[in-house]
Amino acid sequence: GAVVSQHPSWVICKSGTSVKIECRSLDFQATTMFWYRQFPKQSLMLMATSNEGSKATYEQGVEKDKFLINHASLTLSTLTVTSAHPEDSSFYICSGPTGPSYEQYFGPGTRLTVT
Amino acid sequence: AQKVTQAQTEISVVEKEDVTLDCVYETRDTTYYLFWYKQPPSGELVFLIRRNSFDEQNEISGRYSWNFQKSTSSFNFTITASQVVDSAVYFCALSGWNTGFQKLVFGTGTRLLVSP
């Protein structure tokens, strides 16, 4: 399957600062990537669809001004958590591209802790 | 609306026992895909299997098998002769024609603990 990487794998930041998470498709060009959020011991919730060369599509209830997504190239999508607060602490996972039967390949995730 | 229900929050078994993880789904799409993913403690999701809505054949892969029944909207996953390495959270997921099969809707997951 496709290889997706994320950087960093974990990050600790102070409340009020911004943090950027990178998601790279290593062996495939991806016009679309997806960002999920997972709270401890909970399921994955789709936050937004990242579209190369255009604006991201956010799911209902997700603040687009807080979670900035940029898909600048066919191999890189970034998620920036702006003015982070402790409640933004979570596990953020990106995915893409979809496989031949629409299976998604997930990155290893980024654990964000806001203090 | 699409929904995936995994009623079993946590299952504990002893090594070599068989275990079945339940998954029930809801969708209005007539064409859809169902998936199972494994999330070990490291956190990275591992794709296990996908089934399309027109293929109700059961599938076996080593110790893993899947039972898809459209009549009951279920896609259950059985691990035979479980091993400690099977300990993980398992997610069932669904994608439908209505979203171009792009968006995955996940169940809440079942945590499987296999003890030696």
Side-chain angles (χ1 to χ4, degrees):
Chain A
V3 179
V4 179
S5 71
Q6 278 185 246
H7 178 80
S9 56
W10 60 271
V11 58
I12 301 173
C13 71
K14 292 186 176 181
S15 187
T17 62
S18 297
V19 61
K20 180 186 288 188
I21 302 170
E22 292 184 350
C23 176
R24 292 183 184 273
S25 173
L26 299 183
D27 59 356
F28 200 91
Q29 294 185 326
T31 56
T32 303
M33 300 184 88
F34 303 91
W35 286 95
Y36 293 83
R37 182 175 183 176
Q38 184 181 30
F39 289 109
K41 297 191 176 183
Q42 294 190 25
S43 187
L44 284 79
M45 298 299 295
L46 179 65
M47 298 176 65
T49 302
S50 174
N51 304 300
E52 190 268 335
S54 64
K55 292 182 179 180
T57 306
Y58 290 82
E59 296 299 301
Q60 192 172 8
V62 177
E63 298 176 63
K64 60 182 180 181
D65 294 331
K66 181 169 188 59
F67 298 101
L68 300 179
I69 291 173
N70 184 275
H71 197 143
S73 75
L74 289 172
T75 58
L76 174 64
S77 174
T78 60
L79 168 67
T80 301
V81 183
T82 62
S83 188
H85 288 104
E87 56 265 32
D88 298 324
S89 298
S90 189
F91 192 52
Y92 293 88
I93 310 171
C94 69
S95 73
T98 56
S101 298
Y102 302 102
E103 66 270 22
Q104 289 184 19
Y105 297 101
F106 289 84
T110 297
R111 193 164 303 280
L112 170 64
T113 301
V114 184
T115 61
Chain B
Q2 296 179 332
K3 184 179 179 182
V4 176
T5 301
Q6 295 179 256
Q8 304 150 308
T9 304
E10 186 169 306
I11 301 175
S12 293
V13 298
V14 177
E15 210 169 18
K16 297 184 183 178
E17 286 186 21
D18 299 346
V19 59
T20 295
L21 310 181
D22 298 333
C23 172
V24 175
Y25 63 93
E26 297 175 30
T27 181
R28 293 179 180 174
D29 289 327
T30 55
T31 305
Y32 52 88
Y33 284 86
L34 295 163
F35 305 86
W36 276 94
Y37 284 87
K38 175 182 180 180
Q39 188 177 41
S42 63
E44 185 164 0
L45 283 156
V46 178
F47 165 72
L48 296 178
I49 192 173
R50 67 99 181 95
R51 257 292 173 263
N52 73 53
S53 51
F54 299 109
D55 182 2
E56 287 194 71
Q57 274 192 326
N58 292 331
E59 182 160 339
I60 298 175
S61 176
R63 297 183 297 107
Y64 296 170
S65 63
W66 292 268
N67 183 288
F68 175 32
Q69 293 194 342
K70 284 181 77 171
S71 61
T72 56
S73 297
S74 65
F75 186 42
N76 297 337
F77 172 30
T78 297
I79 301 175
T80 303
S82 60
Q83 299 177 1
V84 173
V85 292
D86 295 328
S87 296
V89 180
Y90 291 86
F91 289 97
C92 181
L94 166 73
S95 69
W97 176 88
N98 194 40
T99 58
F101 307 110
Q102 295 284 311
K103 295 184 180 181
L104 280 175
V105 174
F106 283 86
T108 50
T110 297
R111 183 176 300 275
L112 175 64
L113 301 173
V114 182
S115 55

